[in-house]
Every structure is written in structure tokens, then in C-alpha cells.
């Protein structure tokens, strides 16, 4: 029997708090533990035995959407257009290697399974994109953030984020168009126009954005930043564009203003709060039976995509002039998948076919759980692994 919404929200935060504490105690990323918390207190575990549980509903869904919005907003905040243009050659080289090696693997697996092109492209995106949140946190925890290997890792993440922004726009149009070619074309044109408008504001509208987020007090500045980000994300959804993509460009626009550091400081707790809800919501929506049914596909993906990320990350590190050991660290760091794979799976769930609605979201959760644990472990023991494989 489900509880009242306020009790459910309280139970939600209690569950993620416990999950975060356990993750910290065992030295792992909090993301898989937030997802597991959602599974355990949701209808598929507590609900199945008749115990009080947290049920999926509009309130938690909206809170989870805010998590997606603020995760992408912060990524945009970190990647100013000027920074992108200054490092574009090395970012492009490492990012292209990453894209060419990893994206086709997921697409190929999908096609071998007999899926449609759209379904296979969703799988390609899920296995291609690394986790900015987990990797950044691991860089800080391991003390690598000021080391040489952090540059190719962050540069590749920038490239991935730009690719995924366009990817999400195209896939949103494909899914929401319902397979009708003319509807897809119209949606794609609207999405592209909206995206270009946001890019123009980020590139040339710094003065306007500064005025929009300029509050007299911290409270007012917080409210203005939240209002701008959420409102633009909401408008994007209304016209069929991913709210995540819109939030990314709002973040880039705010990142170009003199208020960037203040907004980042004010919104960081907000991001962490709603991001935790987003990962919890993924677990809450997980169908364990469907997840078990996709375990074989997850195992295949883990076996295939762990080496490809190690290789592409190593080659990316070499393009930055790093030695073998530091280049291997880059590859180990890029193995982790996380929030973006789940964002893509969430988008797929709005599709019309059973594979989009059920199979892909279920396998994405299992895949992220395995790869986030494997990736953080590989980063921690990368030097040991490097010596074991004969590295100098």
C-alpha cells in the first residue's frame, strides 16, 4: 500500500541518504546505490510483499526531471564557448577517436539483435557516453584533478556532451514524431531552430543573461537562476525538444557571465538534491523481471565496451602527449557510464515499441550499475592493472 505523497518524498530522501552513506563507506560511486535504493523501496520489492513503499507518481517524476535539468545545466556551466574554441583541436582529436570506436559497438549489437535502426541508435548512445558526474567526482577523490591526465578526460567529456546534445535533439524528434517522416522532419526543424536560438544566446547574449540572473541578494539570484533554467527546460519540452539539451545551453550561457561562480555555488546543493532523486526514480521505475531478462545483453555489452573505452581513452591520452601509464589512466576513467546513459534510456521509454519502452530502459539500468562500479574500481587500481599488463 502506497503512502501519502509527503511521506513518500520523505521516504525517498531517507532511502537515498542511506544509499549515499553505504556508497561512501564502501568507496563506490553513489549513483548505483541511489538506483538500488529506488528499486528496494519501490513497488517491485517492498510493494510486492505488501509493505509500505514509494510508488511512482507525478510528484517524484517532476523532481526527477529537475535532476536531469540541473545535471545538464552544470555541464553547460563548466564548458564555456571560449574554452571550447581554444582547445578545439585536441578535444576534436580525442573526442573523434572516442566516438568512432565506441558508438558503433552499441549500434552493431542492436542490429545483430534484430532491432530497428532507431532502437540500435539508442543503444549506441547508451554505450558511447561516459559519466561526467562520476568521472569528475572520482578525479577529485583520487587527487587527479590537477594532473595531466585530467585534460584529455575532461576534453573528451566536452566533446561527448556536444555530440550528445545534438544526438538527443535528433532522437527526441525521431521518437516524438512517432515514425511519421513528415512529423519527424517538422519536429527536427523546430528542435534545430530552438537549439540554434539557444546557442546564439549563449554566444552573443551574455549581457541579457547577466541581467536575468543578477539578483540583489543570494536568495533572489538563486530564484532567478532556477527560474531561467527550469522555464527554458519546460518550454523545450512543450515544443518537443529535450529539456536536458535546453538546460545544457542555458548553463553555457550563464557560464559566460560574471555571475557564473556565484550561480554555481548557489545551485550545487540544488543539483545534488535533485540528481539523487533522478537516480532514485530510475530505480523506482525499474522492472526487475525485465532487467533480469536483459542480463545477457548487459553482459555482452560489458565485455565489448570496457576494452573499447580503455583503448579509445589510451589513444586520446597519447594525442595529448601523455606517457603510457597516464594514458591508461585516461582509458580507465572513461569506462564509467552513468547519468547520460540513463537520460537516453528515459527518452527511449517514451517511444512506441516494446524494445524502446521496456528493454532499453531495463538494460540501461543494469549496464550503468555494472559500469559505474567497474569504472570507479578501474580508476582506483589503474596503476596496478597497468603494471599487470606489462606497462612500464
Amino acid at each position: 500500500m502506497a503512502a501519502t505523497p509527503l511521506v513518500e518524498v520523505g521516504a525517498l530522501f531517507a532511502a537515498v541518504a542511506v544509499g549515499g552513506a553505504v556508497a561512501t563507506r564502501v568507496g563506490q560511486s553513489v549513483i548505483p546505490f541511489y538506483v538500488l535504493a529506488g528499486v528496494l523501496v519501490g513497488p517491485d520489492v517492498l510493494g510486492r510483499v505488501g509493505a509500505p513503499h514509494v510508488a511512482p507518481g507525478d510528484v517524484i517524476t517532476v523532481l526527477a526531471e529537475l535532476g536531469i535539468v540541473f545535471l545538464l545545466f552544470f555541464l553547460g556551466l563548466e564548458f564555456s564557448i571560449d574554452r571550447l574554441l581554444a582547445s578545439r583541436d585536441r578535444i576534436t582529436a580525442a573526442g573523434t577517436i572516442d566516438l568512432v570506436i565506441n558508438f558503433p559497438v552499441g549500434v552493431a549489437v542492436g542490429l545483430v539483435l534484430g532491432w530497428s535502426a532507431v532502437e540500435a541508435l539508442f543503444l549506441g548512445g547508451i554505450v558511447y557516453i561516459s559519466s561526467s558526474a562520476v568521472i569528475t567526482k572520482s578525479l577529485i577523490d583520487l587527487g587527479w584533478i590537477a594532473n595531466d591526465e585530467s585534460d584529455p578526460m575532461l576534453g573528451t567529456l566536452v566533446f561527448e556532451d556536444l555530440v550528445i546534445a545534438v544526438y538527443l535533439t535528433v532522437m527526441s524528434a525521431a521518437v516524438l514524431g512517432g515514425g511519421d517522416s513528415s512529423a519527424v522532419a517538422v519536429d527536427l526543424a523546430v528542435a534545430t531552430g530552438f537549439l540554434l536560438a539557444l546557442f546564439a544566446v549563449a554566444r552573443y547574449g551574455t549581457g541579457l543573461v547577466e541581467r536575468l540572473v543578477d539578483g540583489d541578494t543570494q536568495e533572489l539570484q538563486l530564484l532567478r537562476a532556477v527560474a531561467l533554467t527550469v522555464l527554458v527546460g519546460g518550454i523545450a519540452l512543450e515544443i518537443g525538444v529535450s529539456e536536458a539539451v535546453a538546460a545544457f545551453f542555458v548553463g553555457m550561457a550563464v557560464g559566460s557571465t560574471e555571475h557564473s561562480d556565484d550561480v554555481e555555488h548557489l545551485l550545487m546543493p540544488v543539483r545534488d538534491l535533485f540528481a539523487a532523486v533522478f537516480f532514485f526514480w530510475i530505480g523506482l521505475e525499474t522492472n526487475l523481471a525485465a532487467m533480469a531478462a536483459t542480463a545477457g545483453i548487459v553482459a555482452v555489452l560489458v565485455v565489448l565496451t570496457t576494452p573499447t573505452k580503455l583503448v579509445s581513452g589510451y589513444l586520446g591520452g597519447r594525442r595529448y602527449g601523455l606517457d603510457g601509464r597516464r594514458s591508461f589512466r585516461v582509458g580507465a576513467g572513461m569506462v564509467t557510464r552513468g547519468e547520460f546513459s540513463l537520460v537516453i534510456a528515459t527518452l527511449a521509454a517514451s517511444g512506441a515499441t516494446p524494445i524502446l519502452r521496456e528493454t532499453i530502459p531495463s538494460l540501461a539500468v543494469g549496464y550503468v550499475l555494472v559500469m559505474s562500479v567497474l569504472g570507479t574500481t578501474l580508476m582506483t587500481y589503474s596503476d596496478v592493472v597497468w603494471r599487470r599488463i606489462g606497462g612500464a
Side-chain angles (χ1 to χ4, degrees):
M1 180 178 67
T4 64
L6 192 58
V7 171
E8 286 186 328
V9 172
L12 179 163
F13 286 119
V16 295
V18 172
V22 173
T24 302
R25 180 65 63 89
V26 299
Q28 288 294 337
S29 164
V30 295
I31 292 176
F33 287 84
Y34 290 159
V35 176
L36 286 173
V39 173
L40 292 175
V41 304
D44 228 24
V45 177
L46 287 184
R48 191 174 292 276
V49 298
H53 63 279
V54 179
D58 292 342
V59 174
I60 294 178
T61 299
V62 171
L63 296 179
E65 287 179 343
L66 289 174
I68 299 173
V69 166
F70 287 113
L71 276 172
L72 272 292
F73 171 84
F74 262 75
L75 287 170
L77 201 63
E78 296 294 330
F79 304 143
S80 71
I81 292 179
D82 290 339
R83 175 186 168 189
L84 292 177
L85 295 177
S87 303
R88 59 184 179 276
D89 290 342
R90 291 194 299 181
I91 290 175
T92 300
T96 301
I97 292 171
D98 177 53
L99 175 64
V100 169
I101 290 179
N102 291 287
F103 187 83
V105 176
V107 176
V109 170
L111 293 176
V112 168
L113 291 170
W115 295 0
S116 69
V118 171
E119 293 161 348
L121 286 172
F122 269 109
L123 190 57
I126 288 170
V127 304
Y128 159 63
I129 189 79
S130 298
S131 170
S132 299
V134 177
I135 292 171
T136 302
K137 188 176 187 305
S138 297
L139 285 173
I140 295 171
D141 292 344
L142 294 171
W144 294 3
I145 195 68
N147 292 354
D148 292 339
E149 54 265 42
S150 68
D151 280 346
M153 294 172 72
L154 294 176
T156 304
L157 290 175
V158 170
F159 187 92
E160 285 187 352
D161 294 336
L162 291 176
V163 169
I164 218 66
V166 177
Y167 168 89
L168 285 174
T169 302
V170 173
M171 299 308 289
S172 295
V175 170
L176 297 176
D180 183 283
S181 58
S182 60
V184 170
V186 171
D187 288 341
L188 186 57
V190 172
T192 302
F194 187 75
L195 201 63
L196 289 174
L198 289 178
F199 180 84
V201 171
R203 184 71 178 92
Y204 304 107
T206 302
L208 170 64
V209 178
E210 275 187 355
R211 290 192 293 275
L212 289 174
V213 297
D214 183 17
D216 294 330
T217 66
Q218 285 191 339
E219 179 181 352
L220 289 178
Q221 192 165 46
L222 172 65
L223 292 173
R224 282 170 173 257
V226 170
L228 176 65
T229 307
V230 177
L231 189 57
V232 172
I235 292 172
L237 272 181
E238 287 292 320
I239 62 174
V241 177
S242 166
E243 75 277 30
V245 178
F248 179 82
F249 281 95
V250 173
M252 289 185 73
V254 174
S256 300
T257 72
E258 62 181 17
H259 302 300
S260 175
D261 290 341
D262 293 336
V263 171
E264 181 178 2
H265 175 72
L266 289 170
L267 282 183
M268 193 173 294
V270 177
R271 176 204 61 185
D272 292 343
L273 181 70
F274 291 115
V277 177
F278 168 66
F279 294 119
F280 176 90
W281 174 78
I282 291 293
L284 203 62
E285 295 280 354
T286 297
N287 182 319
L288 289 180
M291 187 172 165
T294 60
I297 303 175
V298 171
V300 170
L301 292 174
V302 170
V303 170
L304 292 177
T305 61
T306 300
T308 58
K309 274 292 182 182
L310 285 170
V311 169
S312 63
Y314 178 85
L315 294 175
R318 299 299 277 182
R319 292 301 297 265
Y320 270 69
L322 303 184
D323 61 24
R325 183 177 67 88
R326 291 189 183 277
S327 295
F328 185 77
R329 282 185 171 187
V330 176
M334 299 305 295
V335 165
T336 301
R337 272 67 154 198
E339 65 276 8
F340 291 108
S341 297
L342 297 177
V343 168
I344 294 170
T346 303
L347 176 61
S350 61
T353 70
I355 291 175
L356 289 174
R357 291 198 312 269
E358 300 172 5
T359 305
I360 289 180
S362 297
L363 77 83
V365 173
Y367 180 69
V368 167
L369 283 172
V370 174
M371 298 305 281
S372 58
V373 173
L374 179 60
T376 51
T377 303
L378 274 175
M379 284 187 76
T380 303
Y381 298 102
S382 60
D383 289 350
V384 175
V385 177
W386 174 245
R387 288 193 297 271
R388 289 287 179 87
I389 62 177

